[in-house]
Structure formats: structure tokens, C-alpha cells
């Protein structure tokens, strides 16, 4: 079967993107990153993608803080279509997704969140877990809908919260779990077509 064509949206470091790209290179995931888009011009994910020979585009998000302006989101849709992207992968993308993109890829947009949803949705979920004294946390891959971290859960991976954990140490443990879970979920999607 032809490799599944992925479009990755990020705003930051892109370590999940790297985990996915590595899984592809190592022959563990029958996919191809057709396009990387960032809403932050200086995001490391853009450079990392270009260094790997991938197309990586900055799209100016417009005047809102929590979402893209509709014109900007439409530009993202146009780029994804141009590259014949089949599934959209949010990897550290900080904005909510709205109508033009959701309608263009119904049930074809997924996100990874650093907690066991529905626990600790929203920002700095690892800090929320430490502050709440949780014994267990983890990460969740879920479908994206118009809400924040509210879409149907696809898969989760647990990590323990250790005595003496700081938000940072828990975050690092959760991220290591993310780097396993995200490629694994994509493999299931690619193989299940
Ligand atoms: C991850 O921890 C993910 O859970 C959250 O954003 C972070 C992205 O990190 N949605 P990276 O850019 O993939 O390193």
C-alpha cells in the first residue's frame, strides 16, 4: 500500500514530529510526512523538517491568540490539499482548530496531549498532575474537535508520578511515552486503511 500522507502542525520543538519521522525512516511506519506547518516562524520544528528535506511552511496565524484567523486556517487547508495530505497530526500545535480545517479533514485530525484525558486538559498538564498529587499520569492521542482536548480518545499510555517529581521531571517522562505512543497510533491508522 502507498505510504499514508501526513501533514504535521506544530508550534515548538517538534520532538514528537522527530519520533514520527524516525519511525518512518526505520521502516516501522508506512507513512510519509508530506508537509510541516507552523504558526510560529522561529519554531524549531520548521528547521528540523527542512534539514530532513521536507517541505515546511510558516503560516502567520493572524490576530487571535487561541486560534488561527479563518483566512490563515484556509491557507493551511490549501497547503495540505496541495500536498495530498490524508491525515493531519498536531504535534505541539498551540492553537485550537476551527471550521475550515475540521471540515476539510473530518475525523482525520489527531492530537497528543500530556495527560490521561479527561484528567488535566488544558495547559501544562504535567504541572497540574504534580500539583494535584496524582499517582499516575501519561499521554493521550485523541481526535480533534472544536473544543480544547475534548475529542474522542484513541489511545493512552500511562507513566507513574514518582515521589519527588517536579513538573519538569514528570514532563520529560511523559514526553518519552509520547514518542512511543504517537508513532504506534499512526502505525495502526496506516495499517488499518
Ligand atoms: C507535547 O508534550 C504534547 O503533549 C503537547 O505539546 C508538546 C509538544 O512537544 N501537545 P514537541 O514539540 O513535540 O516536542
Amino acid at each position: 500500500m502507498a505510504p499514508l500522507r501526513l501533514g504535521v502542525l506544530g508550534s515548538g520543538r517538534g520532538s514528537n514530529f522527530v519520533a514520527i519521522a524516525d519511525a518512518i525512516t526505520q521502516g516501522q511506519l508506512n507513512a510519509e510526512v508530506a508537509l510541516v506547518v507552523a504558526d510560529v516562524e522561529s519554531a524549531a520544528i520548521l528547521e528540523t523538517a527542512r534539514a530532513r528535506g521536507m517541505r515546511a511552511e510558516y503560516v502567520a496565524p493572524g490576530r487571535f491568540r487561541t486560534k488561527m484567523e479563518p483566512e490563515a486556517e484556509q491557507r493551511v487547508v490549501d497547503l495540505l490539499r496541495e500536498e495530498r495530505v490524508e491525515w493531519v497530526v498536531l504535534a505541539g500545535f498551540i492553537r485550537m482548530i476551527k471550521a475550515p480545517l475540521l471540515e476539510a479533514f473530518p475525523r482525520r485530525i489527531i492530537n497528543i496531549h500530556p495527560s490521561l484525558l479527561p484528567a488535566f486538559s488544558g495547559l501544562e498538564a504535567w504541572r497540574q498532575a504534580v500539583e494535584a498529587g496524582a499517582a499516575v499520569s501519561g499521554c493521550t492521542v485523541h481526535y480533534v474537535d472544536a473544543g480544547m482536548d475534548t475529542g474522542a480518545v484513541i489511545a493512552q499510555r500511562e507513566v507513574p508520578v514518582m515521589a519527588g517529581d517536579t513538573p519538569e521531571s514528570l514532563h520529560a517522562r511523559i514526553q518519552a511515552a509520547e514518542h512511543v505512543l504517537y508513532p504506534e497510533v499512526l502505525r495502526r491508522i496506516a495499517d488499518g486503511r
Side-chain angles (χ1 to χ4, degrees):
M1 201 182 294
L4 182 68
R5 293 184 68 79
L6 305 176
V8 176
L9 271 55
S11 308
R13 204 155 66 94
S15 69
N16 279 281
F17 156 70
V18 167
I20 292 163
D22 284 349
I24 294 171
T25 312
Q26 291 158 15
Q28 294 159 2
L29 168 58
N30 181 24
E32 191 174 337
V33 178
L35 175 69
V36 172
V37 174
D39 61 334
V40 175
E41 203 164 12
S42 59
I45 192 171
L46 289 175
E47 263 325 296
T48 307
R50 288 180 190 130
R52 289 174 176 245
M54 294 166 186
R55 181 174 182 193
E57 299 283 349
Y58 162 64
V59 174
R63 65 184 186 282
F64 301 122
R65 219 156 46 92
T66 57
K67 60 178 184 179
M68 285 175 278
E69 275 187 37
E71 296 72 21
E73 208 178 78
Q74 186 57 49
R75 167 84 183 127
V76 175
V77 170
D78 293 345
L79 287 165
L80 293 166
R81 288 222 168 104
E82 196 179 309
E83 294 297 340
R84 292 171 289 115
V85 163
E86 297 167 281
W87 280 73
V88 178
V89 177
L90 305 189
F93 192 67
I94 49 177
R95 283 163 210 275
M96 311 247 288
I97 303 299
K98 296 297 170 191
L101 185 48
L102 285 174
E103 281 164 16
F105 292 88
R107 260 182 115 74
R108 293 285 185 281
I109 308 176
I110 60 175
N111 180 47
I112 192 157
H113 179 80
S115 75
L116 301 174
L117 288 173
F120 309 129
S121 63
L123 293 178
E124 299 199 324
W126 59 88
R127 184 181 306 281
Q128 296 183 48
V130 169
E131 284 170 4
V136 171
S137 191
C139 52
T140 302
V141 175
H142 63 93
Y143 286 105
V144 172
D145 62 16
M148 198 204 283
D149 308 323
T150 49
V153 169
I154 299 172
Q156 297 184 311
R157 194 173 170 96
E158 287 186 4
V159 306
V161 183
M162 316 278 209
D165 255 337
T166 60
E168 292 70 31
S169 64
L170 178 60
H171 189 205
R173 194 173 309 121
I174 291 173
Q175 279 228 304
E178 291 181 343
H179 300 160
V180 176
L181 183 66
Y182 224 175
E184 204 171 278
V185 167
L186 284 164
R187 184 183 319 125
R188 275 199 263 148
I189 291 170
D191 293 349
R193 284 176 288 168

